[in-house]
Amino acid sequence: MLFLITVFFSFIAVVFATPLLTNLLSSLEIVDTPDNNRKIHSEPIPRMGGIIIYSVVVLFLIFLFPTIYKFFLLGSLILFLSGVADDLWNLKWYIKLFFQSISASFLIIFLMRHNYFHFNFMGLDLPTLFVLPIIFLFIVGTLNAFNMMDGMDGLVSGFSLIIASLSFLLSFSSDSLFVPLLSILIIGTTLGFLKFNGNPASIFLGDSGSLILAYFCLTILLSATSETSNHKIDLAFVGIVLSIPVLDTLRVIVCRIKNRRNPFLPDKNHLHHIIYSRKIRHKTTVFIILSLTIISALIALYYKFSSQFFGFLLFILFSVFLLFFDKVIDLIIQKENLMFYGRMVKSLPTKLAGIFKFYILPFMTFLVFSFMSYLLMNKVSSDDQQIIYLLIFNFLTMAYVFVNLKGKNYMSDFFVFVNFVIFFYTTGSGNLFYKLYHIPLINYINLNQLFILLVVPVIVFYFLFRDKLVDNHQKETLAGIDLILALAIISNYLFLKFSGIANEYYFLADILIRSFLVYLLYKIIIGCYPKFRFQLYFTSYIIVIIALLRIIVL
């Protein structure tokens, strides 16, 4: 339950805050200017998107995990501030390396203090003194690998999303709350940021973003691997998961040294540059690299849970494939399938949006409406003697809406949210939402969790593909009042969770969250199908009136 709520509200927080930061950075002229050499974009784009990522992740961690580990936090803060300084003043490479080394040291201390510093390679235990400098170099190298990888819109954000998803799956059933919580926060923030960082990007991560995502991903991947392997980390597994940026960085550094160039100065020899130079579209290039990342993650899972020998053999073959990927791309281009692949990738978002609008959204609407009808007919069980006042309030607000509709042609959607709160308050006071049901793969889950699990992906998909779902791009789906509602609900949930208030009051937080999710679903429906707004608006009143009348009559 906590993870579902966290991923949703971290996503919403980033979606709301990123445009504000973009406008601020533009006004301050903190932008990435094209240089007609390495950089692919053709106009100045605001950078330092890492401010959003870091702020949301750390603030949520402090609220949800008050005993946040100080060495982890200190290392992340030093790295983040050095990234911000680099975004502002373009630091020398040795200064950046100095701060990265300090952050790597703090991360190592964090791993040691929490029993995450026992390493092996394919089952062969490695002495701590032997592995310490290797891990230090590995951490610093991976930080730079993420930074060097950040050369295309959405590439590092998408890569981090995959790593965080893998880490969450590994750590979900562990005893530690910190690792899955940090993983789910990265999932929520990167999903929200991709809405603005995907091609064409309106904001870049900057060094502050790419470095802090690298730090977070290293933390969760190493910790999750340790949690699922009796507190032992297999370096082979970690290396396979991170093989795309690590192998690419090693190959580029070797080429620079071979050509007698500074290995820390940028060039156009990275994997994404190689693919893009073959006249392959920007989005297709990112799609190819992220697909390779998913393949490397699958190989790592096969290595860990099936066969180490054959898994590592697959990794060697995959590494050879990556090292000669430019030849593979040339071979594909010689075939006349490239245009077909390009058209397929280009049309994929539009096709997904069509499937969502005409199939998934109506089906989800039917499910939610059917469930609410079931609650209405069978589970009205409130004993509140003051229910008559709620009915009077409902009639008064409906009269107010009619007056405004007639005079100003305006309907406040806030009353729809109020109606859903009243509805779930009067129909959800029993144990229906908290009875556990066994579901394969998920194990035991209650109806409240299942409800959130079904609705949240629909809401997230809508925000990611809104420009392809809504005809009127100028009309915002969510207003300022909706942000206030979201913040109020988060505050209420956190207060009830951590204040020690009796459990019988805890269901109020669930009612608010459930109501807000259905309210967002209502907003999505009227965004995609504006002609149904009037009917849906007053349907929210009708179901509440029926529920209240049943209580009074029965």
Side-chain angles (χ1 to χ4, degrees):
M1 181 66 176
L2 175 65
F3 298 139
L4 292 173
I5 294 170
T6 301
V7 71
F8 174 70
F9 282 111
S10 61
F11 170 83
I12 292 295
V14 172
V15 168
F16 271 109
T18 302
L20 301 177
L21 178 65
T22 302
N23 293 334
L24 176 63
L25 294 174
S26 297
S27 64
L28 296 175
E29 296 186 354
I30 303 175
V31 295
D32 194 305
T33 306
D35 59 4
N36 298 318
N37 183 18
R38 289 183 61 255
K39 299 178 181 179
I40 297 173
H41 58 287
S42 57
E43 59 183 33
I45 303 293
R47 58 191 179 196
M48 290 204 335
I51 293 176
I52 290 291
I53 301 289
Y54 187 73
S55 300
V56 171
V57 170
V58 171
L59 287 176
F60 270 76
L61 271 180
I62 291 174
F63 276 112
L64 297 173
F65 196 81
T67 57
I68 185 170
Y69 305 126
K70 59 182 179 181
F71 289 106
F72 160 80
L73 187 61
L74 189 56
S76 68
L77 180 62
I78 292 172
L79 191 65
F80 169 69
L81 292 178
S82 69
V84 170
D86 190 37
D87 287 331
L88 291 173
W89 300 297
N90 196 20
L91 302 178
K92 297 291 185 181
W93 66 267
Y94 50 84
I95 298 177
K96 292 190 286 186
L97 189 62
F98 171 74
F99 286 112
Q100 290 168 10
S101 300
I102 296 176
S103 297
S105 300
F106 278 115
L107 180 55
I108 289 174
I109 295 173
F110 160 78
L111 294 172
M112 286 181 169
R113 288 176 66 90
H114 296 280
N115 201 24
Y116 294 146
F117 207 78
H118 303 284
F119 292 89
N120 66 76
F121 186 83
M122 297 185 69
L124 178 64
D125 289 335
L126 301 175
T128 301
L129 291 178
F130 171 78
V131 81
L132 184 59
I134 296 176
I135 296 303
F136 176 82
L137 293 175
F138 175 77
I139 293 173
V140 173
T142 303
L143 294 176
N144 282 281
F146 270 67
N147 196 21
M148 293 177 181
M149 191 182 189
D150 189 24
M152 303 197 82
D153 300 346
L155 184 54
V156 169
S157 300
F159 183 83
S160 301
L161 175 62
I162 295 171
I163 300 300
S165 301
L166 175 64
S167 300
F168 178 75
L169 291 175
L170 290 174
S171 61
F172 176 73
S173 59
S174 70
D175 296 331
S176 170
L177 174 63
F178 175 76
V179 181
L181 183 60
L182 180 56
S183 301
I184 209 71
L185 279 170
I186 297 171
I187 293 172
T189 52
T190 51
L191 271 175
F193 193 73
L194 275 170
K195 175 177 171 59
F196 308 96
N197 186 232
N199 182 254
S202 59
I203 186 171
F204 291 156
L205 278 169
D207 278 22
S208 58
S210 59
L211 288 173
I212 203 60
L213 278 177
Y215 186 88
F216 287 158
C217 286
L218 276 169
T219 301
I220 57 176
L221 183 59
L222 291 171
S223 302
T225 305
S226 178
E227 287 283 349
T228 56
S229 304
N230 196 24
H231 285 274
K232 292 184 178 180
I233 300 175
D234 191 339
L235 288 178
F237 173 79
V238 177
I240 296 172
V241 174
L242 298 174
S243 58
I244 298 296
V246 171
L247 287 178
D248 184 49
T249 300
L250 289 175
R251 180 186 58 80
V252 169
I253 289 177
V254 169
C255 289
R256 291 172 184 173
I257 294 175
K258 183 179 178 181
N259 295 325
R260 297 183 178 180
R261 297 183 64 250
N262 190 326
F264 297 99
L265 294 180
D267 57 25
K268 298 183 70 172
N269 289 322
H270 288 285
L271 182 61
H272 55 270
H273 288 123
I274 292 172
I275 300 174
Y276 190 71
S277 67
R278 267 57 175 185
K279 308 298 182 184
I280 297 177
R281 294 176 66 251
H282 191 295
K283 291 181 179 179
T284 307
T285 301
V286 174
F287 177 79
I288 290 172
I289 297 176
L290 294 184
S291 298
L292 293 173
T293 302
I294 293 174
I295 293 173
S296 67
L298 293 175
I299 293 174
L301 290 174
Y302 179 79
Y303 167 88
K304 184 175 182 63
F305 295 107
S306 184
S307 170
Q308 286 190 346
F309 175 78
F310 288 107
F312 196 74
L313 182 61
L314 281 175
F315 169 64
I316 293 174
L317 296 175
F318 182 68
S319 301
V320 173
F321 171 78
L322 288 178
L323 293 174
F324 294 96
F325 195 71
D326 54 338
K327 305 294 190 300
V328 177
I329 288 292
D330 292 335
L331 182 64
I332 294 175
I333 291 177
Q334 290 174 8
K335 309 292 181 182
E336 296 185 352
N337 296 327
L338 183 60
M339 295 301 293
F340 168 75
Y341 295 138
R343 286 193 299 269
M344 182 177 67
V345 173
K346 183 178 181 180
S347 63
L348 186 61
T350 303
K351 289 181 178 179
L352 288 175
I355 293 172
F356 174 85
K357 184 174 183 178
F358 297 110
Y359 297 99
I360 296 176
L361 184 59
F363 179 69
M364 183 57 62
T365 304
F366 171 76
L367 285 181
V368 172
F369 183 78
S370 299
F371 179 65
M372 293 177 73
S373 300
Y374 170 76
L375 290 176
L376 192 64
M377 294 297 105
N378 296 277
K379 295 295 178 181
V380 177
S381 57
S382 176
D383 296 325
D384 193 347
Q385 298 298 318
Q386 307 300 320
I387 210 73
I388 185 67
Y389 295 113
L390 287 177
L391 184 61
I392 294 172
F393 169 80
N394 197 255
F395 277 118
L396 288 175
T397 58
M398 187 164 59
Y400 172 80
V401 169
F402 271 116
V403 171
N404 273 278
L405 186 61
K406 185 176 180 180
K408 303 178 182 178
N409 194 29
Y410 170 74
M411 296 186 298
S412 173
D413 289 323
F414 174 73
F415 290 119
V416 175
F417 170 73
V418 174
N419 287 337
F420 288 141
V421 172
I422 297 173
F423 176 82
F424 284 115
Y425 173 75
T426 56
T427 62
S429 57
N431 293 322
L432 173 70
F433 283 97
Y434 304 102
K435 181 181 178 181
L436 292 175
Y437 299 90
H438 180 71
I439 296 179
L441 299 180
I442 301 178
N443 205 355
Y444 287 95
I445 189 171
N446 63 44
L447 200 56
N448 197 57
Q449 295 168 334
L450 183 61
F451 181 84
I452 295 175
L453 191 63
L454 290 174
V455 176
V456 165
V458 174
I459 297 171
V460 170
F461 185 94
Y462 173 81
F463 278 104
L464 292 177
F465 293 91
R466 178 181 175 275
D467 58 331
K468 300 186 181 300
L469 291 166
V470 181
D471 294 330
N472 184 7
H473 293 172
Q474 301 302 316
K475 183 178 180 181
E476 290 294 331
T477 303
L478 297 180
I481 187 65
D482 302 319
L483 176 59
I484 295 173
L485 282 175
L487 292 174
I489 291 169
I490 293 173
S491 302
N492 174 76
Y493 179 82
L494 293 175
F495 173 76
L496 290 174
K497 180 175 179 60
F498 296 112
S499 63
I501 289 180
N503 288 335
E504 55 263 27
Y505 295 100
Y506 189 74
F507 79 98
L508 291 173
D510 287 340
I511 288 173
L512 288 174
I513 291 169
R514 202 181 308 135
S515 304
F516 188 66
L517 291 178
V518 177
Y519 169 71
L520 288 181
L521 186 63
Y522 155 80
K523 298 280 281 190
I524 291 171
I525 295 170
I526 64 175
C528 294
Y529 300 99
K531 62 182 180 180
F532 292 122
R533 185 187 181 195
F534 183 86
Q535 294 91 324
L536 290 174
Y537 191 95
F538 286 100
T539 297
S540 71
Y541 277 95
I542 292 171
I543 61 174
V544 171
I545 291 172
I546 294 174
L548 295 175
L549 285 175
R550 287 197 70 207
I551 296 173
I552 295 171
V553 173
L554 299 179

